[in-house]
Amino acid sequence: MSLGDVEYFKVHGIIPDVLSEKHTDFQLIEVEYPHGVHVEGGNVLQPEKVKDQPHVTYPVEPDSFYTVILTDPDARTSLSEEKSEWKHWLVVNIPGADVHKGEALAEYFGPAPPPGTGLHRYVFLVAKQPGKLTFEGEPRLSKADLKRSHFKADAFLSHYHLKLIGANFFQAEYDD
């Protein structure tokens, strides 16, 4: 996969399942999990290998703030329900590339696709904020809080006027 290859994201349905056509000007970001596990544009990873918060590398501008999102567009709240994005991680007001200094609206929750649901796509998005923002009304979710369904990353980007600068994704399925 080449950097900025939006067509690859279209082939895998990330555009339009996660992103609309208005959010297609981005480059591939680097995502590395502990123990040297890398996200490489749709590679298949075992849930056990991606259970801990990764390190995300993206280009930054001085004195700028960023948002990092990890979403699963293939999640369901039950096997009979239609697919719904599930918010695995959402950090806002990140000064530069220091994710740990950002404000976690949803603490990292590692992928755990249920049995019988096949491969799930896990999509990382990085967006530049227009400045430091107030996210009043947005829930603050701990790792234990499972009220993460029905998230819409594209709508979140648009609502807060965030400019998508980077993305990457991997796939995983149930693994006992």
Side-chain angles (χ1 to χ4, degrees):
M1 180 173 160
S2 63
L3 289 178
D5 190 358
V6 173
E7 290 304 313
Y8 195 75
F9 283 74
K10 288 180 180 179
V11 166
H12 284 275
I14 293 165
I15 300 168
D17 294 350
V18 175
L19 296 170
S20 65
E21 289 286 341
K22 67 182 173 187
H23 292 124
T24 57
D25 184 20
F26 60 86
Q27 66 181 17
L28 193 66
I29 56 169
E30 292 182 31
V31 181
E32 182 179 359
Y33 280 92
H35 313 294
V37 175
H38 292 268
V39 173
E40 296 178 358
N43 57 329
V44 177
L45 300 173
Q46 296 175 316
E48 178 66 23
K49 303 279 186 188
V50 293
K51 66 180 181 175
D52 298 317
Q53 182 175 311
H55 178 74
V56 181
T57 304
Y58 51 91
V60 296
E61 293 179 12
D63 302 318
S64 294
F65 291 91
Y66 297 86
T67 293
V68 171
I69 298 170
L70 174 60
T71 187
D72 171 5
D74 303 311
R76 298 178 179 152
T77 54
S78 71
L79 287 178
S80 63
E81 188 175 287
E82 285 189 32
K83 292 179 182 180
S84 165
E85 270 185 72
W86 209 77
K87 182 184 351 175
H88 279 268
W89 194 27
L90 177 57
V91 184
V92 299
N93 289 329
I94 300 167
D98 197 345
V99 176
H100 294 291
K101 290 186 179 175
E103 179 184 350
L105 297 185
E107 292 180 4
Y108 184 83
F109 188 96
T117 59
L119 282 173
H120 287 232
R121 298 162 294 167
Y122 294 90
V123 183
F124 286 93
L125 304 172
V126 176
K128 184 178 179 206
Q129 299 177 189
K132 191 166 186 178
L133 300 173
T134 302
F135 291 88
E136 289 182 28
E138 293 292 338
R140 276 36 178 191
L141 305 174
S142 70
K143 282 186 180 184
D145 196 332
L146 300 180
K147 297 175 187 162
R148 297 166 178 252
S149 64
H150 304 289
F151 180 66
K152 297 284 185 195
D154 194 73
F156 187 87
L157 294 172
S158 294
H159 179 76
Y160 289 103
H161 307 287
L162 307 180
K163 179 178 181 350
L164 185 66
I165 62 163
N168 206 337
F169 75 102
F170 68 93
Q171 301 176 82
E173 64 184 322
Y174 177 76
D175 182 14
D176 56 3

